[in-house]
Structures are given as C-alpha cells and as structure tokens.
Amino acid sequence: MQAAEVFTTLDIELKPDPSRTVIRPFGFAYPEAFRAGRPSRAHAVLQRIKALDPAMRTRMLGLMQGAMRERHRNSDQVFQRRFEEMREELGSPQVDETIQLLIGAYFSQEYAFESAALFNPSIVRLPDAEPTTPGGVRFLLSLRGIGEGHISSVTLRTGEWAADGTVTIDPASANGVTPRIDRHDDGWVRLVCESSEDVSETVIFPVLPSQRQGVEDLRLVNFTDHDGVESVIGTYTAFDGKDARQELLRGVDMRTFEMRPLTGAMTGYKGMALFPRRIDGQFVMLGRQDNENIWLLRSDDLYTWERDEAEPIMGPKYPWEFVQMGNCGSPIEIDEGWLVFTHGVGMVRGYCIGACLLDKQDPRRVLARTPSPLLFPSAEQRGGYVPNVTYSCGGLLHGRRVLLPYAIGDEYSAFAVAEVDDLLSVMVPA
C-alpha cells in the first residue's frame, strides 16, 4: 500500500456559513489626540439616547428587538448584560429598562463568526454520550471560524461515527449564544453559556487582551488524570495581533469552559498539544517551539512549561517537510506506542499531513515515520483562502480505526478514515 492510499476520504464537508451570528461586545472611543476636555464617546451616546422622546425610544427598542429576536433566542438578556458591563464606565446612570436595553444594543454588534472560513478541526470522544447505533461513538468537533477583521473564534459541533464507518455531523443550530464572562483576579476567565440548548450554539470568541485578534487552532484531548478523573482539555493559540501564546481551555461541562494562560519559557509559541495522560507522573506535550522541529515538553504543573524539560525529538527529513514540521493534534495511544499525526511544509509553502510513532514509555524516542505524506492538496483542492494547505488539529481513535477531520485551503473542512494497521505499514524506521 502507498501512503496516499491509506486514508479514505468521506463525502462530508463543513463550509463557512455567514448566516450564523453571535452578539458580541462593541466599543468605541475618540482618537487619543481628541480626548482631552470632552466626555467619552460612550457618555455622549448615553446622553443622546436620554434626550430622545420616550415614544421614540420605545419605537426604536421595538424595531431592534423584532430583528434580533428572530436570530437570537436570548438577545434581551445579552443587551441587559452588556449594559451592566458598561454601567460603571457610564457613571452608573439611573435609567429605565428601555434605555438600558438600548445602551446594551449600541455597545454590541452582531458578528458572523464563520463568514470567511471554517477550518483546522479537532475531534474527541463526547463524554457521557451514548451512541444511537450499536458499536458507534459520539464525538465533539471543534473548528476555527474566521469572520470580519480576520478574527478567529472557536465553534463546536457534535456527531456520530457508526460501526459501519458512516460519519454523521449533527445540524448546527441557527442560534449563536454569547457566553457570560466571569473574570478572576489571577488572569483566567470562565465562560458560562447557560442558555445554550445545543453545543453548536456556543461560540468561544476573544475575551482577553492576549486574544484580541483570535482564539486559534484548538487542539482537544480526552484527558484522564492519575486519580481517574476525565475531562476535555484543549490548548489553543491566543493572538493579540503581534504576539502569540499558548492558553488552555478546560471543559467543565458542555456549557461552561475555563480559559487559562500557560506560563513558562516554552509557551510563547503555537501548536502545543497535550498527551491524554501523564507519563512517569508528569504532564507531557508536543509543540513546535523553534518553528522547524517537533518538541517534547514535560512539566509537573499543567499550566507551567519551562525550557529545562523540553527537547526537539523530530525534524525535517523528507522533501515535503524540508521547511517545517509540527504535530497536528494530541498523540493517540495505541498498542504499539503513541500515534502522532504531523504536518510538513514544503515547496510553495504547501502543507501536507504525515504521521509518526513514538515509544509508549519514552516518547522522546521516534520509532517510525511516514516518508511520504498521507493527505495533501489535490489538484482540485489547491485553491482556498490560503492555497496548498491540508491541515488538522487532531484525530479520533475507535477500535483500530482513525477518523481524521482536516482543513483544505484554510477555508473549509473535510473528513477521512484509515486503519491503524495501514498507517503503520507505510511507516519506515526513524
């Protein structure tokens, strides 16, 4: 078998949908040179609203509510919450509910979070979810959506992989739900989406200064700690428009998520992915800290990753990866070791997907790797938002088969299935 024959692509594609929107905060201020000696723009808008005839305010509110309620089940609650967020900045005004909702609307925006792209998927088993067919598995899928301003958010889907190989993606809700943001003094936040009726309604968009330009490439893993507690954890890249850093998302349940920054010398980079369990009592991650090689990192603390316990374990060897290598998602534990899907960058900045096998007891040891790519841009898939890119943020193991969602052209997502034995058969000793 040739490497290009290992995966069977499925007739499923997820493409961006500009009709899916979420209500998110909107702010504005005068340029620095024009601020002195005048009230803030926010205060000026408040005064204009208060100066309106009450009948006009009521009419405005009705028009706004009519439009927003058609697309957002909880729009009034969102605008009320936005007013409360603005209350102190506006001088704690004593105003009626109509004015409060209008203020909330003026300081909000409707945002099409996946209008430009829906890509770089990751997949894990959906906790405590029974399949609808015997022998199947329910899964949670994360995708990176890009909207206006090239801002990245995370959107979620669910689906099922049946025993006969059929993959079904549950329809996405027409609603997008804005999470309530509970901020904590030590720099982390909890996102609470209590009004989500389906996980596809939850949108994780930038809420911290470190994420101003995006929450990128969430890499999910079903993590089991040494005490047996299982949780869904994801590492992602927070980008402020200039600098990137790694942060961690932990799913308390499918409506509540914690977002925490990672600290240490090895966290100011992209692409880190957590092993699904501790090894020798330590947390372990893969990354691409030097933008060329795959690194192995160890830590006693899930949130701190330092240079003294990190080392490169695998670098470019074959032409399709001469520029750069990186891990796709978290390692997958199989009988033979740790199966890792990799990406390689070659000519004309083309991204292809390969794989390697790490030793189960000592994952610093690379046992085998694919000399040729498994998935790569085909002739009809070379276009897109970023041409010549095939990329994934992780696959799902079920029995001895792997389901790998992957992105095409940084624009939309597709799916492929492979047998583990076929994957191993096209590897060569490292």
Side-chain angles (χ1 to χ4, degrees):
M1 175 175 284
Q2 301 297 311
E5 301 171 334
V6 168
F7 273 102
T8 300
T9 56
L10 305 181
D11 190 23
I12 302 175
E13 293 178 346
L14 292 178
K15 295 193 173 182
D17 182 357
S19 71
R20 300 194 71 216
T21 61
V22 67
I23 301 172
R24 58 174 295 179
F26 173 59
F28 42 87
Y30 292 114
E32 184 69 35
F34 296 90
R35 292 180 189 174
R38 63 195 304 188
S40 69
R41 284 183 69 190
H43 190 265
V45 169
L46 169 62
Q47 297 309 312
R48 291 167 190 150
I49 295 171
K50 292 173 66 175
L52 290 171
D53 181 82
M56 174 61 76
R57 289 199 294 262
T58 300
R59 182 169 178 269
M60 289 170 57
L61 180 62
L63 291 171
M64 183 271 293
Q65 287 176 324
M68 291 296 101
R69 286 174 177 175
E70 288 182 0
R71 298 192 288 274
H72 303 282
R73 187 175 53 247
N74 63 338
S75 57
D76 281 13
Q77 296 97 311
V78 173
F79 294 135
Q80 185 66 51
R81 188 166 68 231
R82 183 60 176 145
F83 167 75
E84 294 299 332
E85 293 171 353
M86 295 294 299
R87 182 189 288 273
E88 185 175 347
E89 181 179 339
L90 293 171
S92 300
Q94 299 299 310
V95 292
D96 62 28
E97 183 180 359
T98 296
I99 294 179
Q100 291 179 18
L101 290 172
L102 288 174
I103 290 172
Y106 274 105
F107 292 94
S108 300
Q109 69 174 116
E110 196 173 21
Y111 186 73
F113 54 89
E114 59 176 71
S115 58
L118 189 66
F119 65 118
N120 289 5
S122 178
I123 188 171
V124 290
R125 175 179 44 82
L126 189 62
D128 304 319
E130 290 295 326
T132 61
T133 57
V137 60
R138 295 284 296 165
F139 60 76
L140 175 68
L141 184 74
S142 71
L143 300 119
R144 176 179 169 186
I146 288 186
E148 177 190 355
H150 194 76
I151 295 174
S152 296
S153 304
V154 171
T155 180
L156 303 168
R157 305 287 175 84
T158 53
E160 185 162 328
W161 186 14
D164 65 1
T166 303
V167 175
T168 304
I169 308 297
D170 300 328
S173 171
N175 286 284
V177 173
T178 305
R180 187 183 80 241
I181 304 167
D182 294 341
R183 301 179 186 274
H184 292 254
D185 292 339
D186 54 356
W188 65 277
V189 299
R190 178 177 284 115
L191 307 180
V192 183
C193 309
E194 62 259 324
S195 59
S196 287
E197 296 181 358
D198 182 89
V199 71
S200 68
E201 296 184 349
T202 299
V203 182
I204 302 171
F205 57 78
V207 297
L208 297 172
S210 62
Q211 308 162 354
R212 187 174 292 108
Q213 196 61 31
V215 176
E216 302 178 357
D217 299 346
L218 179 64
R219 288 169 162 85
L220 294 173
V221 64
N222 293 116
F223 183 81
T224 303
D225 212 342
H226 53 61
D227 56 3
V229 174
E230 299 182 9
S231 57
V232 174
I233 297 178
T235 47
Y236 61 89
T237 298
F239 184 54
D240 65 5
K242 180 183 177 183
D243 298 315
R245 78 176 190 187
Q246 288 295 290
E247 296 182 350
L248 188 139
L249 180 81
R250 192 160 199 158
V252 178
D253 54 43
M254 290 297 103
R255 290 184 174 85
T256 307
F257 300 89
E258 295 177 355
M259 303 178 82
R260 296 175 182 260
L262 299 182
T263 61
M266 303 306 284
T267 62
Y269 308 93
K270 294 186 176 184
M272 290 171 62
L274 184 67
F275 278 64
R277 61 173 174 85
R278 299 191 195 212
I279 299 175
D280 295 331
Q282 290 186 300
F283 298 100
V284 187
M285 285 214 206
L286 294 179
R288 52 182 178 91
Q289 273 64 21
D290 63 358
N291 290 331
E292 183 179 48
N293 303 286
I294 295 178
W295 288 62
L296 187 86
L297 303 87
R298 295 177 180 269
S299 179
D300 296 322
D301 176 6
L302 180 59
Y303 303 104
T304 304
W305 300 85
E306 298 292 0
R307 179 67 176 86
D308 58 357
E309 291 205 71
E311 60 182 301
I313 61 170
M314 183 173 169
K317 182 176 182 180
Y318 301 103
W320 58 278
E321 56 192 23
F322 273 178
V323 173
Q324 173 181 308
M325 290 201 69
N327 56 288
C328 287
S330 291
I332 298 171
E333 188 169 11
I334 59 175
D335 292 341
E336 294 83 352
W338 296 103
L339 175 64
V340 178
F341 289 103
T342 65
H343 71 257
V345 181
M347 291 185 291
V348 293
R349 195 172 173 258
Y351 278 71
C352 301
I353 295 174
C356 68
L357 184 69
L358 307 181
D359 185 88
K360 189 175 290 191
Q361 280 69 45
D362 183 5
R364 296 173 302 175
R365 294 182 58 226
V366 181
L367 303 178
R369 60 193 291 182
T370 51
S372 300
L374 302 165
L375 291 168
F376 47 87
S378 63
E380 63 272 18
Q381 295 174 340
R382 291 191 179 279
Y385 187 67
V386 180
N388 303 309
V389 173
T390 302
Y391 195 87
S392 176
C393 287
L396 176 66
L397 178 72
H398 186 46
R400 291 286 287 182
R401 306 185 80 195
V402 174
L403 173 62
L404 187 70
Y406 64 99
I408 297 171
D410 275 14
E411 184 174 344
Y412 65 99
S413 297
F415 296 80
V417 175
E419 299 286 344
V420 168
D421 292 335
D422 291 340
L423 283 164
L424 298 177
S425 74
V426 296
M427 292 186 186
V428 299

